[in-house]
Amino acid sequence: MADSSDGGVPPAPIVHPTGNHRIKLNVGGKLFETTSSTLQVGGYDSLLAALSSRHATENDEREPIFIDRDPEIFSTLLSLLRSGRLPSAARRRFSKQDLAEEALYYGIEGRLRSALSPPPLIGINATLASTIVPAAEAHPTALYAGSDDGSIWIAHGGQISAYDSNLTHSGTVRTHLEDIASLRCIWPEIAAIGSLQTPGLHLYDVSSGRQVASVNWSDPSDPRVYKARVTAIGATEPGYNGRDHIFAAFECPHRENCILSVDRSTLQIVSEIGRLSGSGSKTSSPGKLVDLTEVGGGVVFASAVSSGAFGYSGYMRLWDPRTGKAVWETSEPGSGARSGRFGDAFADVDVDRKETAIYKVCWKSGDLAVADMRKLSEDPWLYLEERSAALRSAGGGANSIVSCYNGQVFVSRESGLEVWSRAEEESEEGKGDAQRKKIWRRNFVDREDDAKRGLIRGMEAGGDRLFVCRSGVEGVEKIEMEFGQSLRLCLFLYVVVYYEDAEQPSDKLRNMEQPLLKHIKEEPLDYKPYTCKAT
């Protein structure tokens, strides 16, 4: 402390406002009264928290702090700080963009983002919320929605349109490509794109609209390796488990192909993985790459599928980037498939990171199959079959797409979009230790009218939203949970999952359960009627 004899003035002590300290604000001419603890909910680095420290004592008689902003929106944001949620009327009265701009000014954009985020996506109760339509050439060719904030990038007509977490258009980048077939995010605002018509892997800054770099595959010892186009890109989301590499599948004009590992920071080629001739379906360039940093020390899943007059054929492989060798592979038709399944090759496949499982849909039967990645073998598949023959996929699985998200499997068919979710069923009592059997539920996500609009050609999930684009249809459909659905969903799942034996269950419960419960064909479950427990 300064000595008063030297003429110094002692510094004023720092007084932190108490939690019940009342503070008055004048926002745009309208008076508000709240407490310092409410203003500090937005974070100690927010403007409102800083303003709360200006009134250090209960007896402060100074004029209310004046803020030259919209008082009506401030009232909504103040309610958000008080209750943790937005008033229902505010969602109808103000646009997300207006709310976001004001929240950014006050430094509480994180709180608003959490409040505006949709409830956890549970496909069995999700609905089509809206359609995002780019301004020009609006037929999507590729999607990216891997961020957890619910934002999306849409490739359309050689352009990339970015939409933020509120799905507000934040910008469009015109690239030098006429058609973008692959799209992934490798750094915030940096997109990696590839085309089936133009060679090279290209990186664009979505925020500034400039091209950052290009990567091409070449081999000085083989002059045939040139003008290689990109058929697939695999990259973890920025910050996800810290993988430093990007994986891109390149294919030359004479069909020879490989997977290149590219350093994410220097954008230099690190290694060449799995160079194949491309002379047949089992050596063709991958159409899907998934970087699995959490499996086997970090492997890359690659798959390719082709169709013709005699059906579908393709392969799946797990590559180890450290050795450049495949640690597991299977090809269809063949590769140890059981006799009853020979010729029923997969039409599409995807990997569920959460369950460490591979899901495929068969083109002939339409059945969905799962393989545990921890127990891979020559024939690791368990096939899911509808109990009721009348409800099975009579149209097969041709043109189907599989997409996994948070333990759920979305499958598009010509008849519509369906979701499969996993549950556990208790075994009967009196037979030793209690055991639980795995079962699956299936339900349609879209309505019959939705399915008639066009065949689904692309699906991407992220931020508790599912984005879907259809053949010949402009725009991208957004599917999510509606606010206020959580209670109805919990009650519905309670009826389906928790049950006990009943001699005469109601017809309503019997009819509800029959089309929903699925099981593994190799482990048949005895069907018995159930009803919910009384509580």
Side-chain angles (χ1 to χ4, degrees):
M1 180 177 295
D3 190 349
S4 59
S5 62
D6 295 334
V9 179
I14 298 176
V15 181
H16 296 283
T18 59
N20 58 356
H21 180 67
R22 296 167 66 179
I23 295 177
K24 295 180 180 180
L25 301 173
N26 181 346
V27 181
K30 186 175 181 179
L31 294 178
F32 294 87
E33 188 169 351
T34 183
T35 64
S36 59
S37 61
T38 297
L39 296 182
Q40 291 172 356
V41 168
Y44 288 100
D45 57 346
S46 68
L47 172 63
L48 295 180
L51 293 177
S52 69
S53 64
R54 291 180 56 178
H55 288 259
T57 65
E58 294 281 351
N59 298 322
D60 198 331
E61 298 296 337
R62 286 181 296 181
E63 291 293 323
I65 300 174
F66 179 74
I67 305 175
D68 190 15
R69 305 296 290 188
D70 188 321
E72 302 302 324
I73 297 182
F74 178 79
S75 177
T76 297
L77 297 179
L78 187 59
S79 296
L80 170 63
L81 296 179
R82 287 168 173 164
S83 63
R85 62 180 185 273
L86 287 174
S88 57
R91 298 179 184 275
R92 299 187 297 268
R93 185 176 181 185
F94 303 111
S95 68
K96 291 182 179 180
Q97 183 65 25
D98 291 339
L99 292 172
E101 289 177 355
E102 291 298 297
L104 180 63
Y105 175 82
Y106 294 111
I108 59 172
E109 62 273 16
R111 302 287 299 185
L112 178 66
R113 189 181 303 113
S114 299
L116 291 175
S117 298
L121 177 64
I122 302 180
I124 200 171
N125 207 30
T127 57
L128 174 61
S130 62
T131 301
I132 307 168
V133 183
E137 299 176 282
H139 292 88
T141 57
L143 308 175
Y144 172 77
S147 302
D148 291 333
D149 61 357
S151 60
I152 183 174
W153 291 352
I154 303 174
H156 56 102
Q159 306 172 75
I160 305 173
S161 289
Y163 297 83
D164 61 18
S165 59
N166 296 322
L167 298 183
T168 301
H169 182 235
S170 56
T172 296
V173 178
R174 165 68 72 174
T175 72
H176 69 286
L177 304 179
E178 294 183 2
D179 182 72
I180 300 173
S182 304
L183 171 64
R184 280 293 175 267
C185 174
I186 62 169
W187 289 107
E189 307 300 332
I190 302 296
I193 59 175
S195 172
L196 298 179
Q197 301 174 358
T198 305
L201 174 70
H202 307 283
L203 283 73
Y204 274 84
D205 187 328
V206 178
S207 60
S208 65
R210 65 184 181 90
Q211 184 175 2
V212 176
S214 294
V215 178
N216 289 278
W217 179 33
S218 62
D219 185 352
S221 63
D222 188 350
R224 299 178 303 163
V225 178
Y226 78 110
K227 292 187 177 180
R229 54 187 183 164
V230 171
T231 60
I233 304 172
T236 56
E237 290 72 36
Y240 182 87
N241 284 354
R243 173 89 86 169
D244 294 328
H245 293 170
I246 311 163
F247 299 95
F250 283 81
E251 182 184 51
C252 295
H254 66 287
R255 302 294 302 277
E256 188 172 1
N257 60 85
C258 79
I259 301 172
L260 292 185
S261 175
V262 181
D263 186 277
R264 196 186 290 253
S265 300
T266 64
L267 301 180
Q268 299 297 313
I269 298 175
V270 176
S271 61
E272 182 181 293
I273 305 170
R275 189 163 178 172
L276 303 172
S277 64
S279 57
S281 61
K282 298 178 182 180
T283 59
S284 60
S285 184
K288 177 174 289 187
L289 290 177
V290 182
D291 186 5
L292 301 173
T293 58
E294 63 275 23
V295 178
V299 297
V300 178
F301 175 84
S303 68
V305 62
S306 59
S307 61
F310 299 100
Y312 283 71
S313 61
Y315 69 83
M316 307 175 205
R317 291 189 180 94
L318 289 178
W319 293 99
D320 187 344
R322 297 165 296 185
T323 63
K325 297 180 180 180
V327 296
W328 173 82
E329 64 180 300
T330 183
S331 58
E332 298 182 7
S335 191
R338 63 205 70 174
S339 59
R341 289 287 176 177
F342 187 84
D344 195 14
F346 68 94
D348 194 33
V349 61
D350 198 18
V351 178
D352 188 335
R353 283 197 178 107
K354 182 177 180 179
E355 301 290 338
T356 60
I358 305 172
Y359 286 87
K360 70 173 183 177
V361 58
C362 303
W363 81 272
K364 185 182 293 185
S365 64
D367 289 342
L368 186 68
V370 57
D372 191 335
M373 297 185 70
R374 297 163 296 185
K375 302 176 182 178
L376 292 175
S377 61
E378 188 177 12
D379 184 18
W381 302 104
L382 297 174
Y383 291 86
L384 312 184
E385 185 182 59
E386 174 65 63
R387 285 178 172 174
S388 173
L391 296 175
R392 292 175 186 167
S393 302
N399 299 317
S400 292
I401 296 177
V402 181
S403 180
C404 300
Y405 181 71
N406 280 356
Q408 303 170 89
V409 185
F410 295 88
V411 182
S412 69
R413 303 183 188 274
E414 293 182 357
S415 57
L417 176 62
E418 62 187 36
V419 60
W420 295 69
S421 55
R422 222 168 160 175
E424 293 181 335
E425 183 180 56
E426 293 183 357
S427 63
E428 295 181 3
E429 298 180 357
K431 291 187 178 181
D433 297 336
Q435 297 180 352
R436 302 186 73 85
K437 300 177 181 179
K438 298 293 184 181
I439 59 174
W440 275 256
R441 299 187 192 88
R442 182 186 68 142
N443 205 350
F444 282 99
V445 178
D446 55 0
R447 299 171 297 179
E448 185 177 358
D449 292 342
D450 297 332
K452 292 179 180 179
R453 287 204 303 272
L455 191 65
I456 293 177
R457 289 300 187 187
M459 280 194 293
E460 280 280 325
D464 290 312
R465 289 168 173 156
L466 178 68
F467 298 96
V468 171
C469 60
R470 300 179 184 271
S471 178
V473 178
E474 292 186 339
V476 176
E477 298 174 4
K478 178 192 69 172
I479 297 174
E480 64 183 13
M481 295 281 291
E482 294 180 357
F483 289 95
Q485 279 189 317
S486 300
L487 178 60
R488 298 201 303 273
L489 177 64
C490 293
L491 293 175
F492 179 74
L493 289 182
Y494 177 84
V495 172
V496 175
V497 177
Y498 298 99
Y499 44 73
E500 62 183 4
D501 290 333
E503 295 181 357
Q504 295 180 344
S506 67
D507 291 337
K508 182 178 181 180
L509 289 175
R510 182 189 294 112
N511 294 335
M512 179 186 295
E513 184 194 31
Q514 178 69 14
L516 292 178
L517 295 181
K518 309 294 166 187
H519 71 286
I520 300 178
K521 180 178 289 185
E522 284 74 13
E523 299 178 6
L525 302 177
D526 294 330
Y527 177 79
K528 288 190 175 182
Y530 299 105
T531 184
C532 60
K533 291 180 179 179
T535 58

